[in-house]
Amino acid sequence: MIFEERFLTGRVATVASRVWFLETEPLGAYEKILPLPFAHLIVNLSDPYRLFRSDGTATVVADAFVSGLQSDYLVIESPPQIRHVGLELAPAGLHALAPGAGVSAAGRVQDARALLTGIDEVVERLGAVADVADPAPALDVLEALARTAEPVDELVASGLSLLGQDPETTVTAVAEAVGSSPAAFIARFRGVTGVTPKQHAQVVRFHRFVSAVHESGGAPDWAALAVAAGYYDQPHVIRAFRRFSGWTPTEYYRLVAEHGPMAAHFVPLDQVPTTAAGEPQAPS
């Protein structure tokens, strides 16, 4: 596996947190991607990915695509050899890069050309400079793209920071802290990110809970992890797991334990998940 990442700093870090280059073979033919509290721009330099809908039908994903903020999991089929360059966008960063794109991309994976101008030039440049021996020039291309963004919405960014510090903070408290009414804050937040503050906070909490499962080492202490993440009882955890992953915590851990933290949010699968009735498993 060839993997190199660069964490961004300064003003550009308000738009995107990191860029990376990856070349590897997939761990499974398919992959279930659990909801993440950030968006992505991916330029695929290998064979196409396929994205499965809840009815089991699949579509081919463009060579340059944006995955907006998701509140449900995604199921993809990876190419035999993964080779791509990625940009991890802050929740308000996609809107700064392309006004309105946060809303257009939320809950979707779509061709980046529908959202970002000049993406064909980016793809062409990456095809010319991407090199496993020196991924730095490819990282430079996407970092340069992030630097073209307008300033992020400061009010929404402040709200995101507060929710990131404590996902259990009420929307009313966050709105008051940023100097807004709850209704106005929710509308502005949704207009920038495409999701509500509550939806985002729920994904942040689940994302951190899943990460903590693998950081502890050994069999997880579900009760302690649940309390630390802000889940008030076991049924609460199970409901969140079923909603965001389609599994119970135990089912999830059994699937990813052999792969470790690298599979925490990108779970390898041998086949497209199905329900007990044999139908494709749809996000809840």
Side-chain angles (χ1 to χ4, degrees):
M1 179 177 75
I2 307 297
F3 176 70
E4 184 166 325
E5 65 181 342
R6 178 188 301 164
F7 289 92
L8 304 182
T9 59
R11 189 192 76 84
V12 72
T14 64
V15 175
S17 53
R18 66 185 177 111
V19 290
W20 75 89
F21 176 93
L22 174 66
E23 180 167 313
T24 188
E25 293 182 1
L27 294 174
Y30 304 94
E31 188 173 82
K32 181 182 281 190
I33 303 174
L34 306 187
L36 302 167
F38 29 77
H40 289 108
L41 167 65
I42 305 288
V43 177
N44 178 27
L45 303 171
S46 61
D47 293 335
Y49 291 88
R50 290 203 303 161
L51 176 69
F52 285 83
R53 299 189 184 92
S54 58
D55 63 2
T57 60
T59 55
V60 175
V61 180
D63 57 344
F65 61 92
V66 172
S67 178
L69 294 182
Q70 308 290 328
S71 297
D72 293 310
Y73 62 77
L74 302 170
V75 176
I76 64 168
E77 181 182 30
S78 299
Q81 183 76 12
I82 295 171
R83 189 168 189 256
H84 70 228
V85 188
L87 179 68
E88 185 177 277
L89 291 152
L94 183 55
H95 178 81
L97 192 60
V103 174
S104 300
R108 301 178 63 191
V109 175
Q110 65 187 117
D111 191 331
R113 294 168 182 82
L115 303 171
L116 305 172
T117 57
I119 199 67
D120 283 318
E121 181 182 350
V122 170
V123 172
E124 183 178 350
R125 291 179 62 197
L126 285 172
V129 304
D131 185 347
V132 295
D134 182 15
L139 303 186
D140 291 342
V141 171
L142 285 195
E143 180 177 346
L145 176 65
R147 292 187 181 278
T148 67
E150 297 294 323
V152 298
D153 185 305
E154 292 187 4
L155 185 144
V156 173
S158 296
L160 283 162
S161 177
L162 292 171
L163 290 172
Q165 294 169 28
D166 181 8
E168 295 305 296
T169 304
T170 66
V171 174
T172 298
V174 173
E176 181 178 342
V178 300
S180 176
S181 70
F185 174 67
I186 292 170
R188 188 156 163 181
F189 190 101
R190 191 167 195 167
V192 168
T193 68
V195 299
T196 68
K198 181 177 180 180
Q199 288 173 319
H200 181 68
Q202 290 172 336
V203 170
V204 168
R205 178 171 58 185
F206 178 74
H207 181 263
R208 291 181 178 173
F209 181 82
V210 167
S211 297
V213 167
H214 303 280
E215 292 169 356
S216 57
D221 182 341
W222 294 111
L225 291 171
V227 171
Y231 293 111
Y232 50 82
D233 58 20
Q234 186 175 1
H236 191 195
V237 174
I238 293 173
R239 285 196 300 272
F241 249 93
R242 286 197 179 280
R243 175 186 174 189
F244 291 126
S245 77
W247 297 308
T248 66
T250 302
E251 289 169 336
Y252 162 81
Y253 187 72
R254 185 172 64 248
L255 284 165
V256 302
E258 64 179 291
H259 301 295
M262 65 183 300
H265 304 281
F266 303 86
V267 184
L269 303 171
D270 293 328
Q271 60 185 16
V272 177
T274 58
T275 65
E279 297 298 324
Q281 185 185 75
S284 53

